[in-house]
């Protein structure tokens, strides 16, 4: 951080010593759930915006009734929310200080509970999905307040083998679960692990708990997942409804279920993110292991989880996520605004929180609270000591909103995982798919160094900065005229941080088939010159080009024969010739995409898409025209 005055040094020390408490407690904000995924659902009173499956019939539960458990949970949450400090009253040190207990400290409480002979209260199940943490965990807190609990994670074979899945993602999940087990044990419970389909696993748990009245309540977080998880949740809702078991889905981000209109969405997001955080429960009550064995984390090799190839393992788990948030807000993030577009400098300057958000090892609201505290801390510095922090923190704040804005699109229209958001573009690319071009792009051998370097980096590390991700999709869509769906499937496997809501919305946006976004055709040559001006990134990932003169690095195929010999790089032998002629390919793509956008059908569809998905924060002239068209329709 810039500045050497006493106050600046003190603020720097506070910031660096801070790590994770705006990561410490998290409330689920209030709105109506949107997606009709869970059959008959009624708003739950606990957080106002959690949804609960309404059981078809009640059945007695051991200990407290479901109604008593719900009332207990409501009163506990209400007390916590009344006692929580608003973010504006907390320093960055407060907001980032509470670290999860180190795994080495735990295990004793849970080990003692393994032999506990008596269970006092109705049994709650916390169904863990993309929420692998103990802080700011609405489902865990509600269950803990209501009775003894089972923290359940299910490895589902169809999800493990999905076309978008890769070993790199499941390594992150498995490592996060191993840490979560220790965090739960430190509080008196443990992780219960199963492999298989969720419905029969829940049925077996319910049967095993018959002597205690069965499962009294299932708690989870709302999930904006892909079509498979959507169908699975519907099956779970139907099963729980048949057995008369309530299911409450708590919110953990700014995505609104059953959203009637995008108008006012930003205000709702702000209200949710600014709500008090829920602290991690101090103590949990467990069901005896003799009754419900914990199970073990499965070996991923035994589950035959597919892998694209070798990859670097990214730090996983809540402690790593909170430390990453701290280091970004207090150390690494000052050049964020200027550096985030570069694949070289963005490696450290970007937050690197995306996998932690995707699998819930850090909640989005935790990051929001920590960000607000850090902004206040920086504003308290003398102007000369602030450096570039305020601009970068403001940019990061916009990205947190952007995160949920794009997830909301899939929540509102799940079918965009498979079909064009703007249906007037159906048939535009589907019949022209070129398998050879796709393979060259997917393997990083297109003959365009910036494209190839980015793809090779992504395959090896599982991460790439946003602008370069956009360039990869743009190049596939326009230069190679490939449909976004197979392109998106390949990239999903590459990303450790694959988030369906963001991924499919962005795949379509960067391919120009939404009808409401600007057509962005990235030039790989220009991106190399702008974002890697010394060629460091490209030479690192495409070593064939190590000796190519900088002046020719963006277009090595323009080297003369003598220059190729001198560089030790023969085009077509050591490094591929360009898979397409860039100028001709882009000219053709522009003619086709703009021609499609001008049709009456496309314009009418664009008005519809904007009404359903468009941002209301700003109203550019084109968006205002779309609003008028929708009103006229």
């Amino acid at each position: 951080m810039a500045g050497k005055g006493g106050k600046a040094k003190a603020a720097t020390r506070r910031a660096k010593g801070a790590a994770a408490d705006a990561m410490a407690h998290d409330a689920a904000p209030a709105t109506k759930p949107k997606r009709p995924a869970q059959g008959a659902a009624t708003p739950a009173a606990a957080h106002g915006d959690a949804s609960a499956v309404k059981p078809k019939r009640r059945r007695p539960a051991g200990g407290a009734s479901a109604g008593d458990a719900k009332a207990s949970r409501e009163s506990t949450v209400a007390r916590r929310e009344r006692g929580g400090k608003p973010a504006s009253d907390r320093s960055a040190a407060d907001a980032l200080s509470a670290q999860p207990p180190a795994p080495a400290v735990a295990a004793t409480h849970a080990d003692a509970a393994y032999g506990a002979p008596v269970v006092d209260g109705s049994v709650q199940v916390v169904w863990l999905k993309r929420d692998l943490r103990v802080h700011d965990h609405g489902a865990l807190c509600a269950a803990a307040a209501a009775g003894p609990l089972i923290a359940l994670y299910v490895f589902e074979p169809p999800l493990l083998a999905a076309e978008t899945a890769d070993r790199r993602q499941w390594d992150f999940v498995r490592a996060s679960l191993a840490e979560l087990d220790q965090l739960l044990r430190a509080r008196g419970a443990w992780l219960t692990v199963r492999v298989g389909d969720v419905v029969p696993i829940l049925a077996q748990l319910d049967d095993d708990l018959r002597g205690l009245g069965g499962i009294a309540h299932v708690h989870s977080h709302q999930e904006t997942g892909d079509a498979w998880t959507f169908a699975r949740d519907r099956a779970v809702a139907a099963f729980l409804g048949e057995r008369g078991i309530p299911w409450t889905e708590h919110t953990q981000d700014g995505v609104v279920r059953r959203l009637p209109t995008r108008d006012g969405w930003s205000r709702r997001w702000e209200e949710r993110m600014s709500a008090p955080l829920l602290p991690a429960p101090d103590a949990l009550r467990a069901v005896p292991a003799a009754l419900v064995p914990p199970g073990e984390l499965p070996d991923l090799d035994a589950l035959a989880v597919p892998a694209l190839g070798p990859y670097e393992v990214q730090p996983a788990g809540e402690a790593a996520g909170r430390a990453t948030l701290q280091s970004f807000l207090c150390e690494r993030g000052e050049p964020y605004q200027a550096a985030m577009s570069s694949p070289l400098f963005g490696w450290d300057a970007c937050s690197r929180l995306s996998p932690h958000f995707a699998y819930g090892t850090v909640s989005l609201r935790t990051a929001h609270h920590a960000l607000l505290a850090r902004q206040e801390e920086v504003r308290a510095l003398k102007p000369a000591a602030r450096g570039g922090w305020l601009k970068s923190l403001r940019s990061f704040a916009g990205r947190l909103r952007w995160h949920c804005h794009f997830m909301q699109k899939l929540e509102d229209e799940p079918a965009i995982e498979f079909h064009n958001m703007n249906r007037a573009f159906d048939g535009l690319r589907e019949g022209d798919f070129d398998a050879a071009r796709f393979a060259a792009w997917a393997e990083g051998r297109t003959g365009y160094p910036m494209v190839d370097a980015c793809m090779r980096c992504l395959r090896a590390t599982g991460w790439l900065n946003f602008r370069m991700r956009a360039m990869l999709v743009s190049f596939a869509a326009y230069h190679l005229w490939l449909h976004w769906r197979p392109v998106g499937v390949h990239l999903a496997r590459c990303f450790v941080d694959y988030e369906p809501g963001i991924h499919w919305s962005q795949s379509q946006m960067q391919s120009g088939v939404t009808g409401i976004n600007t057509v962005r055709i990235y030039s790989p040559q220009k991106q190399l010159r702008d974002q890697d001006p010394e060629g460091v990134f490209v030479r690192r990932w495409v070593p064939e080009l190590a000796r190519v003169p900088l002046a020719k690095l963006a277009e090595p195929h323009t080297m003369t024969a003598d220059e190729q010999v001198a560089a030790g790089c023969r085009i077509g032998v050591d490094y591929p010739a360009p898979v397409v002629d860039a100028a001709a390919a882009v000219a053709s793509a522009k003619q086709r995409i703009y021609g499609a956008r001008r049709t009456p059908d496309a314009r009418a569809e664009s008005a519809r898409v904007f009404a359903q998905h468009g941002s209301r924060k700003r109203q550019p002239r084109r968006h205002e025209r779309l609003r008028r068209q929708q009103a006229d329709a």
Side-chain angles (χ1 to χ4, degrees), residues 81-95:
E81 291 185 350
R82 284 196 297 271
K85 284 186 179 181
S88 59
D89 293 338
R90 307 166 68 213
S91 69
D94 290 333

Side-chain angles (χ1 to χ4, degrees), residues 526-573:
K526 184 178 186 300
Q527 291 304 310
L528 189 155
R529 296 177 184 119
D530 290 349
Q531 307 303 338
D532 188 26
E534 300 301 319
V536 175
F537 176 78
V538 164
R539 296 183 202 280
R540 176 183 302 168
W541 292 105
V542 190
E544 308 96 293
L545 305 176
R547 292 162 51 196
V548 172
L550 184 60
K552 297 294 181 74
L553 189 59
E555 299 177 293
H557 64 280
T558 64
M559 290 190 296
T560 65
D562 289 343
E563 287 174 327
Q564 292 180 40
V565 171
C569 181
R570 295 163 296 166
I571 302 302
V573 178

Side-chain angles (χ1 to χ4, degrees), residues 318-455:
E318 186 171 6
R322 293 158 74 88
T324 299
L325 176 58
Q326 178 203 12
S327 69
F328 172 70
L329 291 179
C330 303
E331 299 168 14
R332 298 181 290 108
E334 184 177 2
Y336 174 72
Q337 186 185 48
M340 63 178 169
S341 295
S342 167
L344 186 64
F345 300 112
W347 190 264
D348 293 318
C350 287
S351 77
R352 304 304 303 275
L353 287 164
S354 53
H356 297 286
F357 290 155
Y359 300 105
T361 53
V362 173
S363 76
L364 204 69
R365 190 161 53 245
T366 290
H368 177 69
H369 279 246
L371 170 66
L372 294 180
R374 178 64 176 140
Q375 285 176 315
E376 289 189 7
E377 194 171 67
V378 172
R379 289 189 190 105
L381 299 173
K382 292 181 178 179
R386 295 172 186 168
W389 275 109
L390 285 180
K391 287 184 177 179
S392 289
L393 293 174
R394 189 161 51 245
S395 292
F396 182 61
R399 288 299 171 115
L400 291 182
R401 288 168 174 78
W402 177 95
H403 178 277
C404 297
H405 165 74
F406 279 95
M407 288 181 66
Q408 186 72 53
K409 296 174 189 285
L410 185 64
E411 181 69 39
D412 291 344
E413 190 177 356
I416 65 173
E417 180 184 351
F418 302 104
H419 71 60
N420 292 323
M421 192 177 293
N422 186 314
R423 300 309 300 269
F425 293 108
D426 289 358
L428 183 65
R429 291 188 176 94
E430 289 86 334
D432 294 326
F433 187 80
D434 187 312
R437 290 183 179 183
F438 175 81
W441 170 83
E443 295 165 12
R445 49 179 182 81
T446 65
Y448 288 90
M450 195 61 157
V451 171
D452 295 341
C454 287
M455 184 61 77

